[in-house]
Amino acid sequence: MPIFLLQRSSFPGDEGGIMGWLARVYVTPKAGVLDPQGKAVQHSLHTLGYPEVGDVRIGKYMEVRLADVSRESAEVRLREMCDRLLANRVIEDFRFEIDAAPVD
Amino acid sequence: MPIFLLQRSSFPGDEGGIMGWLARVYVTPKAGVLDPQGKAVQHSLHTLGYPEVGDVRIGKYMEVRLADVSRESAEVRLREMCDRLLANRVIEDFRFEIDAAPVD
Amino acid sequence: MRWGVITFPGSNDDAQTAFVLERLLGESVVRLWHKDESVDGLDCVVLPGGFSYGDYLRCGAVARLSPIMRAVEAFAQGGGMVLGICNGFQILCEAGLLPGALIRNRELGFSCRRVHVRVEEADTHFTNRCRRGDVLDIPIKHGEGCYIADDATLRSLEAGRQIVLRYTDAEGRVTPEANPNGSLGAIAGIRNARGNVFGLMPHPEHACEWLVGGEDGRKIFLSIIAAQGGTAETPAVPTSSKVLSGP
Amino acid sequence: MKITADIALQHGLSAAEYERIESTLGRAPTLEELGVFSVMWSEHCSYKSSRIHLRGLPTTGPRVLQGPGENAGAIDVGDGLAVVFKIESHNHPSFVEPFQGAATGVGGILRDIFTMGARPIANLNSLRFGAIDHPRTGFLVRGVVGGIGHYGNCIGVPTVGGEVSFDPGYDHNILVNAFTLGVVKADRIFRARATGVGNPVMYVGSRTGRDGIHGASLLASAEFDAESESKRPTVQVGDPFTEKLLLEACLELMSPELSHHLVAIQDMGAAGLTSSSTEMASRGGTGLDLDLSLVPLRESGVTPYEILLSESQERMLLVLHQGSEDAVRAIFSKWDLEAAVIGHVTDTKRLRCTFEGKLVVDLPIEPLTDDAPAYDRPAAEPHASDDGKLNLKDLPEPTDYNQTLLRLMESPNLCSREWVYRQYDAYVGGGTVVRPGSDAAVVRLPGTEKAIAMTVDCNSRLCLVDPYVGTVSAVAEAARNLAASGAEPIGVTNCLNFGSPEKPEVMWQFQQAVAGLRDACLAFGTPVISGNVSFYNETEGRSIPPTPVIGMVGLLEDASQHVTQWFKSEGDAIVLLGRNREELGSSEYLAVVHHQVRGGVPWIDLEIERRLIRAVVASAREGLLRSAHDVAEGGLAVALAECCITSETTAPLGARIELEGGFRPDALLFGESHARMIVSVRRRHLTRLREIARREDVPISVIGEVRGKVLEIGDLVGVDVATLRECWRSALTKALAGSAAA
Ligand SMILES: Nc1ncnc2c1ncn2[C@@H]1O[C@H](COP(=O)(O)OP(=O)(O)O)[C@@H](O)[C@H]1O
Ligand SMILES: [Mg+2]
């Protein structure tokens, strides 16, 4: 099931076409860095009657489509993009997965 | 790798302790819904010299820790939380995965 | 008439809204707390501007779940008048009391400026003191004011004459430059099908005094008073530049 | 762990300072105690290099209710009200993480104000970035402006003014100075004095995490270098929503009905719990016993050392009367805020902290505060940054003055700041009479007919050439900006941004600036009631230009008598108050068009400035002025252009101007001589204006008329105002468009 989820995109446009890459980037607040948003959401989930909710951390999930590059350079360059733009390395961590996907 | 990635949390506190659940929630803009941020990021990536970048869509990635509930009720209640608070069904879709995780 | 002005944690324009109603228009105002559970006995409830719950997660997402909102929903279902300004508009959309959603501005950033809005419908509870086509000069100040809705919703809004205000230039022309946030159809304010719930991004409460922001915003409040069969009492204090109190 | 001089060194303490610690204690400090000393003796908290010099500043006056020494100063504005204001720097954090750094800077200054019981009604900010085309500038500008807007907008305090400038001197060390003004009943100002032995000490607000550990001793006083990377993890994240709750809860606690519970209140800013507790005890002449295990924590395993030094935001420390705990807890829980009693007041004059039953800190208060080191550091005049001489004969005159004017109007330091202030909510609160875009911001004084005018100013190019005259000029420009808005200057705050005080040249610049500040404030009768010193603004040994930012506050007896800088209607007479002089020294024109900074600084005379201020304020009070604008960067031509095009809500207006200069046109149009103001009046008011000018002995000349859609200056300039406006308005957006946004 995880695998299945990983293979499919949450966004449309996966049908047919020539292949490229679909990168899924996860940006999360660094350990120990205050996450006011997560804090607020946790609080309201409690008041909504979900006492079982513990720590809530909120980050970004991005789907980036890449065309005509090798998997290797796709990875190298994506890491670069994360460092330079997609994540704020001062307060955020990131990780990503790259899968083959049709180019729309 | 996917499996490995899925199993591990991006946040600390996974060492030992009694078990609970770690839910990973993905909230993404519905197909066809404007994503100005995604557009802007795509444009910035182009100006930064990554012409291979195609469509960029930006959503939210949340990690929600849940304690002392069965997997079943964890799933049911989490879906409820998504419907009521974590996602706006008018413009967003959501999906989640639940894995066993130590309670910190 | 009796107004209720709700304060959510993070509301910022609640005091200003109450000030306008009480001190400038001589209305009676009940200040409501988000934990209150009743709006009984009120003629109109205002959800003010601000950053309820810090705008965390989504603007209005958390506020719409606070206890008072159950009362507001019932009140609206019963035909009670509800006005949502800026963050209040966002809350009304999140609560499903108004269709569609408000997302990040086209230019992404927060935008604070005077805009012009054209009155599309004058025979509403909220604009009856204007004429169709009137252009109002009112400030906006928001980062998430881009109104969107699916085609079906948009069509029914048009058909139901629910689109009350559109962004235009000073001459009342809809142009891309005059649309400050990229809203679909330059929509600045809409009402529900029944016509008793109104949400808008511009801030009429910040355009009720010549000295600060102009006076076009009064027309919205005066319309609501008229709709309730009232006329604004002679204000408790003169409404000239010499107004003695701020919030 | 055995504490040694080396470890002390890593804490930013000199060998001598460490010796002093050991001799004071008669023993080696514990690690926690060393941490306490390191932050309390840091430049940021102790003012050890500046203290003795600041003593010379005028800090008293009939209106002064609170001078320097508390969290902020307070000035009586009549009607039983006082304004509380202060400006503070957040330079290094903003360079490390621009968005959060600037945001938490705003959060910090806001807490300083509402700690005094005042409701903040206005924010301003003074920003300095590197060259606009420096690769990092765009990123920094976006982050800083975004962060300031984020915090101020969310907490609901209008951001109504400020300044932005670009100069290569800040390429590696930007300046972010935040100003806040609040209003309080004059007899209800709260102070931070821990008194009453046995009274409980309560911690309220956000939980404590490992944020900004060493922020005070490192970020705010060690120079930048590659290793600043390693400081990154300590960056604080601001939570304006929590601060809004904290603001409302604290003001509720300080209200007449509830304030009897409260003895003292102090925000936890730089050096967090350590400085707030020691300062409260010091002011109260008491001691404090704290149990650090009772401090609410955000994560597990935070050590007592970290708890003492953490700079987690949105926290306050209170001293209550015994028995008031529950009542106060109730107020904070109403606002969903945590409150915990963590200790009590003692008569020991010592700070004692235990953690899990173990005594980790036991220090006398005095050595940490009043008896902290104070240095009279050596000062030496640096070699002049220019030879002072500027021979106009060697300077080619522009062939096309229209082009030159347009070029200046779109230059980074003169073009419109709309891109910046459009991101700030200037309306919230309902009191903003003059929003960003005129000489000073004007905000109504709640409950009265009065209004407060505010401005922040500094021309660091002048300060680099001559720190004394430069600082005097900054105070004068601030006063002119207030007068141009119709307000009488009543008080000053300041943020002195300099390089390393350990360098004699920097110390000299600092002393010159303080002397200039003193003399100018004496001349204008505007006491300095608060301020902030930021040293060590340098990277790899290069100091920033001396940047003494002046925040000045003025009073309008009648808000409706405020004046804005843009022309109002056709036919009005345009009048120049003051005299043109043949000066081009250190002007924007020299820098932009001739790429040089030289010729010394414009001549300034404080007596002449004072007369000008008096004349303009008097005319405004009589309602004579339709517009007023001071002549500053860019000189007369730029000021005139601004009068034509800067109205947000009305179409630009043209003007027909005739100047008899009798000297070089470029000096006449672009020279930056002081003591000049452009006003427009109805023709029939000219006579009265002349009388006032004569009375105040201010040179006056009618130089033209508001007319048409073209700005014409003699036969030198003839530019269509729409063109002027377009190039002035779009310049900053264009310049920043290149840089990437996320
Ligand atoms: N960082 C800022 N935040 C808010 N307003 C600003 C900022 N920078 C400049 N402004 C506004 O832009 C206008 C022009 O600024 P400036 O040229 O510095 O004025 P002056 O030369 O009269 O001091 C002023 O109204 C000022 O308040
Ligand atoms: Mg000025």
Side-chain angles (χ1 to χ4, degrees), chain D residues 437-521:
Chain D
S438 194
D439 280 319
V442 178
V443 176
R444 186 158 55 183
L445 194 61
T448 73
E449 286 186 20
K450 296 175 177 170
I452 301 297
M454 294 154 278
T455 181
V456 288
D457 292 286
C458 179
N459 179 332
S460 62
R461 184 181 302 131
L462 302 189
C463 294
L464 183 59
V465 176
D466 184 331
Y468 176 86
V469 174
T471 307
V472 168
S473 308
V475 177
E477 183 186 353
R480 267 182 256 133
N481 281 329
L482 296 180
S485 311
E488 181 197 3
I490 58 173
V492 164
T493 184
N494 67 99
C495 192
L496 305 175
N497 305 271
F498 288 78
S500 166
E502 295 162 42
K503 292 185 179 163
E505 312 74 49
V506 172
M507 212 50 220
W508 179 83
Q509 294 173 328
F510 181 77
Q511 292 176 13
Q512 292 291 307
V514 172
L517 179 59
R518 178 196 58 223
D519 294 350
C521 288

Side-chain angles (χ1 to χ4, degrees), chain D residues 89-281:
Chain D
S89 70
H90 223 219
N91 303 340
H92 289 178
S94 302
F95 187 78
V96 173
E97 210 306 282
F99 186 96
Q100 294 298 340
T104 51
V106 173
I109 189 65
L110 281 163
R111 283 193 297 283
D112 274 332
I113 300 309
F114 71 75
T115 297
M116 309 278 298
R119 176 171 289 277
I121 61 167
N123 285 334
L124 284 80
N125 56 96
S126 169
L127 311 178
R128 277 175 177 70
F129 299 98
I132 191 128
D133 52 6
H134 183 280
R136 204 144 181 268
T137 296
F139 164 76
L140 290 167
V141 173
R142 282 175 195 288
V144 165
V145 171
I148 289 170
H150 166 66
Y151 211 103
N153 299 347
C154 185
I155 197 172
V157 175
T159 303
V160 295
E163 57 168 357
V164 185
S165 62
F166 301 89
D167 181 309
Y170 304 98
D171 278 352
H172 303 283
N173 196 128
I174 63 172
L175 301 184
V176 174
N177 294 179
F179 168 106
T180 295
L181 179 137
V183 179
V184 60
K185 287 216 162 44
D187 57 357
R188 301 200 54 81
I189 297 174
F190 285 80
R191 292 181 175 78
R193 296 174 190 166
T195 56
V197 174
N199 279 338
V201 175
M202 186 181 266
Y203 169 118
V204 299
S206 294
R207 292 170 160 245
T208 294
R210 294 190 172 88
D211 310 318
I213 306 286
H214 275 180
S217 61
L218 293 183
L219 274 186
S221 43
E223 301 174 21
F224 261 127
D225 46 34
E227 161 238 352
S228 60
E229 296 299 307
S230 65
K231 291 165 197 155
R232 287 185 155 200
T234 70
V235 161
Q236 314 96 307
V237 168
D239 181 358
F241 171 60
T242 297
E243 179 128 319
K244 163 82 173 172
L245 302 181
L246 197 57
L247 162 71
E248 297 301 339
C250 289
L251 292 182
E252 194 171 318
L253 170 59
M254 291 187 267
S255 67
E257 304 70 41
L258 295 165
S259 61
H260 59 275
H261 294 299
L262 186 64
V263 175
I265 175 168
Q266 157 105 33
D267 67 301
M268 293 192 230
L273 182 57
T274 295
S275 65
S276 53
S277 52
T278 35
E279 281 169 19
M280 278 216 274

Side-chain angles (χ1 to χ4, degrees), chain D residues 669-734:
Chain D
L669 293 183
F670 307 121
E672 297 179 10
S673 302
H674 295 291
R676 293 181 296 170
M677 190 85 68
I678 297 165
V679 304
S680 66
V681 300
R682 293 203 169 85
R683 292 229 158 259
R684 63 184 144 87
H685 288 145
L686 276 172
T687 334
R688 180 56 189 150
L689 186 64
R690 283 208 181 82
E691 286 168 16
I692 294 174
R694 194 175 313 110
R695 187 184 75 208
E696 302 297 342
D697 189 16
V698 171
I700 176 171
S701 46
V702 177
I703 58 171
E705 177 182 72
V706 179
R707 188 208 304 167
K709 290 290 171 194
V710 176
L711 171 61
E712 297 172 86
I713 306 177
D715 46 19
L716 294 169
V717 174
V719 197
D720 153 66
V721 287
T723 314
L724 265 177
R725 185 156 204 270
E726 181 45 34
C727 97
W728 170 79
R729 259 191 90 193
S730 56
L732 194 54
T733 317
K734 285 200 196 117

Side-chain angles (χ1 to χ4, degrees), chain A residues 29-37 39-40 43 47 55 57 60 62 83-91, chain D residues 96-97 99-100 139 206-207 209-211 232-233 235-239 241-242 298-299 314 336 740-742:
Chain A
K30 272 211 170 102
V33 168
L34 175 66
D35 175 15
Q37 181 161 236
K39 207 179 76 193
H43 179 83
T47 52
D55 197 25
R57 304 281 280 174
K60 289 201 205 81
M62 317 185 201
D83 268 318
R84 293 176 65 186
L85 184 72
L86 302 183
N88 176 352
R89 304 295 279 106
V90 181
I91 51 178
Chain D
V96 173
E97 210 306 282
F99 186 96
Q100 294 298 340
F139 164 76
S206 294
R207 292 170 160 245
R210 294 190 172 88
D211 310 318
R232 287 185 155 200
V235 161
Q236 314 96 307
V237 168
D239 181 358
F241 171 60
T242 297
R298 197 166 76 221
E299 54 196 298
E314 293 91 26
D336 297 324

Side-chain angles (χ1 to χ4, degrees), chain C residues 160-239:
Chain C
R161 298 175 42 238
Q162 290 172 245
I163 300 168
V164 179
L165 300 173
R166 285 188 212 268
Y167 301 106
T168 65
D169 62 16
E171 284 69 43
R173 288 180 305 246
V174 171
T175 71
E177 306 71 48
N179 183 340
N181 50 31
S183 288
L184 187 65
I187 290 174
I190 59 170
R191 55 176 173 159
N192 63 348
R194 182 169 178 175
N196 61 312
V197 178
F198 178 45
L200 75 169
M201 286 314 292
H203 286 263
E205 81 280 17
H206 284 292
C208 291
E209 272 181 278
W210 163 80
L211 191 60
V212 286
E215 299 199 320
D216 283 4
R218 285 170 172 259
K219 296 185 178 140
I220 302 292
F221 298 108
L222 292 174
S223 296
I224 296 173
I225 293 165
Q228 285 287 329
T231 55
E233 297 157 30
T234 38
V237 292
T239 62

